[in-house]
Amino acid sequence: MGTDYEALNLTIDDGVATVELNRPQKLNAVNNTMTKELVAVVRQVARDKDVRAMVLTGGGRAFCAGQDLTEFGGLPGSGFRVDDHIRSGYNKLVLSMRALEKPIVGAINGVAAGAGANLALATDIRIAADDTKFIQAFIRIGLLPDTGGTWFLPQLVGLPRALELAWTGRDVGAEEALRIGLVNQVVPAAELVATAQEQAKQLAAMPTVAIGMIKRAMYRASSTTLDDALEYEAQLQQSAINTDDHREGVMAFLEKRTPEFVGR
Ligand code: LHQ
């Protein structure tokens, strides 16, 4: 399995791929290499049957400071198309994270700003260090949230709060992030990665097909009608019932023992 990335560090252990953003001198600001490599690593995680969960975190003192403002070439008169830049980079990445039928646990450390804040929100569940700050920094440079921000924020915190955060671009600390629903849990910074890896390890030992279907169905349900969601649940359940892990779960229950899930 390839681990030769430039803007990322990848380690694989106990069925969990830990992906660490690796431009710490720039607070992990995103350049084109990083988005390309993130898409590639998500693809790698999708393909590898032995990897059943992923952790995403930032190396150094920040999670991610958003777009590398020294590298994107968007100065007036340059002819740079930000729509193409977003479509081929951030959008592809966010959609690939959503399409991955394995859990992504965000281990959010230090600052998560701009596209970095929304990259954090694109993970499935999030554990934040107690020194974390989320900043919808876009407005500070006259932009609107991208990388899914206009979709994630209202879903997670409700519309009025979403508007306030995007309009003000103010810092949101870890405790507030927990209270308003941006993160699932806050832990001391020193325990962050180990806690996220433990959570991912537990998820990796579960029935991976059903875990993936839950992800698929829940995200689909967020943008569909109840009628449609009920029908989709029925279709997925018909597939889930044919997995080895379903049979193992029922057998273990009947035999009064702990199930051993194999991920198929
Ligand atoms: C950085 C960055 C950075 C480069 C820190 N770039 N070097 C999409 C498409 C196209 C265009 C634009 O945008 C987008 C989406 C976006 O993401 S827009 C939002 C972009 N991000 C920002 O506006 C955040 C900019 N950074 C900051 O405001 C601060 O650095 C924060 C609040 C994140 C952290 O502040 P401090 O803890 O005080 O750290 P610092 O500012 O001293 O940063 C440390 C170093 O990292 C520093 O370099 P230096 O060589 O002076 O040590 C910064 O220049 C560098 N850095 N963010 N985005």
Side-chain angles (χ1 to χ4, degrees), residues 24-27 29-30 61 64-72 80 82 85-86 90 111 113-116 133 135 137-138 140-141 143-144 146-147 171:
Q25 68 291 351
K26 290 199 160 196
L27 307 186
V30 181
R61 73 175 173 91
C64 175
Q67 172 67 42
D68 188 322
L69 296 174
T70 66
E71 272 193 38
F72 78 103
F80 170 76
V82 76
H85 176 76
I86 288 172
Y90 295 107
V111 183
K133 277 191 299 193
I135 314 175
F138 307 88
R140 297 184 184 181
I141 55 170
L143 297 179
L144 72 151
D146 56 25
T147 317
D171 294 6

Side-chain angles (χ1 to χ4, degrees), residues 8-86:
L8 308 175
N9 287 322
L10 170 65
T11 52
I12 295 173
D13 204 16
D14 275 335
V16 174
T18 299
V19 176
E20 182 189 70
L21 306 179
N22 182 34
R23 303 184 78 220
Q25 68 291 351
K26 290 199 160 196
L27 307 186
N28 299 316
V30 181
N31 62 3
N32 291 344
T33 305
M34 189 185 279
T35 41
K36 275 201 196 89
E37 290 188 350
L38 279 168
V39 171
V41 87
V42 169
R43 204 172 291 142
Q44 182 179 341
V45 167
R47 270 199 313 263
D48 189 336
K49 296 227 176 328
D50 296 330
V51 174
R52 290 158 64 187
M54 174 176 150
V55 169
L56 180 64
T57 193
R61 73 175 173 91
F63 177 73
C64 175
Q67 172 67 42
D68 188 322
L69 296 174
T70 66
E71 272 193 38
F72 78 103
L75 293 176
S78 63
F80 170 76
R81 293 291 310 219
V82 76
D83 52 356
D84 290 338
H85 176 76
I86 288 172

Side-chain angles (χ1 to χ4, degrees), residues 86 90-91 94 118-119 121-122 138 145-154:
I86 288 172
Y90 295 107
N91 292 5
V94 168
N118 296 334
L119 176 62
L121 300 186
F138 307 88
D146 56 25
T147 317
T150 64
W151 196 85
F152 297 136
L153 280 171

